[in-house]
Amino acid sequence: MLPYPALHASHSGVWIADSDGVREVSRGEAIACAADTPTILLNAPLIGQRLGYADLSGLDLLELFAFVHPARFAVPTPKGLAQALGQPVPVDEAEVAGSLRAAAVRLLETASAPWPEQEGAWTAAQSLFRLRWPWAPALGQVLPKPETAERWLFTKLPEWDEEAPRAAPRNVTLAADAIGERLARLTGASAEARSGQRAFAGAAAAAFGPRMARDTPNLVLAEAGTGIGKTLGYLAPASLWSEAADGAVWVSTFTKALQRQLAQESERVFPDPALRRERVVTRKGRENYLCLLNLEDALQGGFQGRAAILAHLVARWAAYSADGDMVGGDLPGWLPTLFRRNGSTALTDRRGECIYAGCPQYRKCFIERAARASAKADIVIANHALVMVNAARGRETGTRPTRYVFDEGHHLFDAADAMFSAALTGAEAIEIRRWVLGPEGGGRGRRRGLAARLSDVASYDAAGGAAVAAAVEAARALPADGWLARVQEGAPFGPVEELLGAVRGVVFARAKDGEAGYGLETELAEPPPELVDAAAPAAQALDALLRPLVALGKRLEAVLAEGPDWLDGPARARCEGAIASLGWRAETVGAWGRLLARIGGPADPDFVDWLAVDRVEGREYDMGLHRHWLDPTRPFAETVLKPAHGVLVTSATLRAGGDWATADARVGAPHLPRSPDHFEAPSPFAYATQAEVLIVTDVTRGDLSALANAYGRLIVAAGGGTLGLFTAIRRLRGVHARIADRLARDGLPLYAQHVDPIDTGTLVDIFRDDPRASLIGTDALRDGVDVPGRSLRMVVMEGVPWPKPGVLHAARRLAGGGSAYDDRVVRARLAQAFGRLIRRADDRGLFVLLSSAMPSRLLGAFPEGTPVTRCTLDEAVARALSLGGEVGHGAAALSMEPPS
């Protein structure tokens, strides 16, 4: 047994296990122990938060697990770790500390003998020892030294190969019987026949027929209720078409959870793992993947302290990762959060500074490998943002798909709204400056400016070199480090900072402070003279930057066309990458210029413009001008839908209690020459007996104590298994602070988004793994949370999810029918939240809305036949008791006193 003690802290107490046994201790004693002695912990940031000691550190078992088992996932709880290691699960919290010591022994025993992830471990441990990683001495005593030197990560990663372009897909028409046979094969011979799924597959097939006219895709809108099995329903015709036409189908989602689910479902299409890796590819934006050049820089001294330790653990993972995806892939989501300051973002290409073929790791690049794999795949699992970025910015034009499936189609409007918007803010402007200029003021790191990235190309082309020099000079007019403090102090430097100072003044003069301490905004109308005066020099500065960026892009295109002798393969690839990056930045700067032209000029009815100061808890962090399309599906239809040959848009809540006209408008169908096909398959679930909606009428709006009391009593009555949804982070935190300790004393863990230092995906994994746990959060938990069974048996919403009032919402409300527009938004949100509750035929659950002001006209958001009852909190608690069953705490629920 290790000589180190183990420490476990929860909302119900603190325990230490050492050679003398397990004992409960005070928080002060626990902090003193951890400060004086190397202590075994599980998730140090979380334990530190519970002890009220943010600087807590020690021997974190999750870090050791990530070292010994890279690219494996374990739920980061005592139960989850025990299950991952094949050990007994602790039955109560007093046993947890002892189980942590046993887990440490198990992991070190694994490392003492040959195991699948052994290669590279000894070398990594030596580097981590020099960085004083707490686990390195213990590992050094057990890791066997290899007989020969271990291969360096960058020498053992496989290289991708160039291949001939794929021919255009053939025009084929799918036979109905063939679709039925494919669906039967995917569902399996023993599966129950579902008529709704068969009908859905048949309707989806219309999106895969030959296109009849230019800019007129075969568009199918299909609303398939929960339980229809729509994933296999569209994979059947999609895989059949891909096979017959030799083309790729891009299946686009909105949430990472559905991307993972689709990857799992693809096993039915291609059961052989090797074939599946070739034919099914998951794609995300560049910023999701590990950049090997950034990692190399971090390993060679670019990172210091704890960040350097993270880099070495990520390097261990990279050697075993399937695709290098750091966000939602096989890198455990909890690993970066252990290091508090999220150094993982510096290991990805978030700034768009890729040097493509100029990178020594280019042939091994995870991003390039994924792009090439998707070019020859049958099914590409992507997301809405990537699809729109590729279409709008002209990326991968040679491999642009002709067939799309947009699952979670009710999110297309929001995804398009984010993609096709413009924001001239301090944070956005300084990123452009850094992209052009590179490090300033002695800053270190791999980041290089435009001149350095194109130095060899520019040296052969005088016009290109002059454009680079002009861009560098013009970029100095953009905000620099320290801009926020200068603007706040009234001492801005440069024309764009002057503009931001004027924006800030207008916002504070005109905005209505609806929720103290949070963001402020005001419409861009009747601008004061100070703002008009500041806009002109800022516009000139942006134009001075835009011109050389455009000129440089054109010059690089000319160089590619001329093909001079010095333009070898790597230089050509670097030029092509630079052209794409230049186009993106030039488009951004051009949009800023058009936005500034609006100041003092006529409004454009197609756009909504406003000024904002972004704040969190009273602290300003950004400010600037914003522009959104009034109807963002217009550019979506032009750039994505019209070039496609066939598109299927599907969701369980596509209409969200409205009609097909509403669904059409939300996906851009009115902007196409031909109307779409519509299909509806109601859910097979018996909502009349499986679910109930309770509208609680006696919880006073705005009374945080009453709200916390309601959540606490309902969760205890149900015995956990509750998903709580809030519309404001402040109220979420207030409720959590009031009830977490009380629930823990009843053996009911409570986890909270925006409170616990754990990423949202991992919080959902923890929630799914423990039927006694509850999870509270905001909008991110309203979608993409798939927790079937006992782990989710009640959804509680704090109130009617009305849209947040703001300039953009007010404009769309006016254009969309006033209160009818609000009703459509609320019905959609209620439908999405209710959809978390019943995920399979044997689920039972309650949907509780803590609002007496719920209008009856909005009840159409819930599935037909679902019982809806207005009741008191006491009555709701009594109904929740039936959900607790063997894990409930009914007596406690009825006797809980309201919090003081």
Side-chain angles (χ1 to χ4, degrees), residues 448-601:
R448 299 194 295 170
L450 189 62
R453 292 195 298 273
L454 293 176
S455 59
D456 56 343
V457 176
S459 66
Y460 287 101
D461 184 76
V468 169
V472 168
E473 182 61 31
R476 300 189 188 281
L478 297 178
D481 290 338
W483 70 269
L484 182 59
R486 289 192 296 273
V487 169
Q488 290 173 327
E489 293 166 2
F493 179 78
V496 179
E497 288 188 18
E498 292 275 4
L499 173 71
L500 296 176
V503 166
R504 184 174 184 268
V506 176
V507 171
F508 276 102
R510 297 183 177 181
K512 178 183 177 183
D513 198 345
E515 194 164 356
Y518 290 87
L520 300 172
E521 63 182 45
T522 185
E523 60 182 338
L524 180 54
E526 302 296 332
E530 295 81 7
L531 184 61
V532 176
D533 292 342
Q540 292 174 1
L542 294 179
D543 185 64
L545 175 60
L546 176 61
R547 290 176 182 275
L549 292 181
V550 172
L552 180 58
K554 291 181 177 178
R555 190 60 214 140
L556 291 176
E557 290 174 351
V559 168
L560 288 179
E562 294 165 4
D565 294 340
W566 56 266
L567 191 70
D568 56 8
R572 175 175 290 275
R574 190 157 57 257
C575 286
E576 291 172 348
I579 289 170
S581 295
L582 284 164
W584 168 20
R585 268 62 181 210
E587 177 186 321
T588 299
V589 176
W592 291 349
R594 292 189 293 273
L595 180 53
L596 290 184
R598 160 72 176 86
I599 299 177

Side-chain angles (χ1 to χ4, degrees), residues 5-10 13-17 23-41 44-59 340:
L7 168 64
H8 170 64
S10 75
V14 185
W15 293 265
I16 287 179
R23 66 185 187 278
E24 189 168 4
V25 299
S26 68
R27 292 186 178 184
E29 185 178 351
I31 292 171
C33 175
D36 295 340
T37 310
T39 306
I40 298 171
L41 308 163
L46 180 64
I47 299 302
Q49 182 188 78
R50 290 175 175 174
L51 292 176
Y53 184 62
D55 294 330
L56 181 72
S57 62
L59 297 157
R340 294 181 177 89

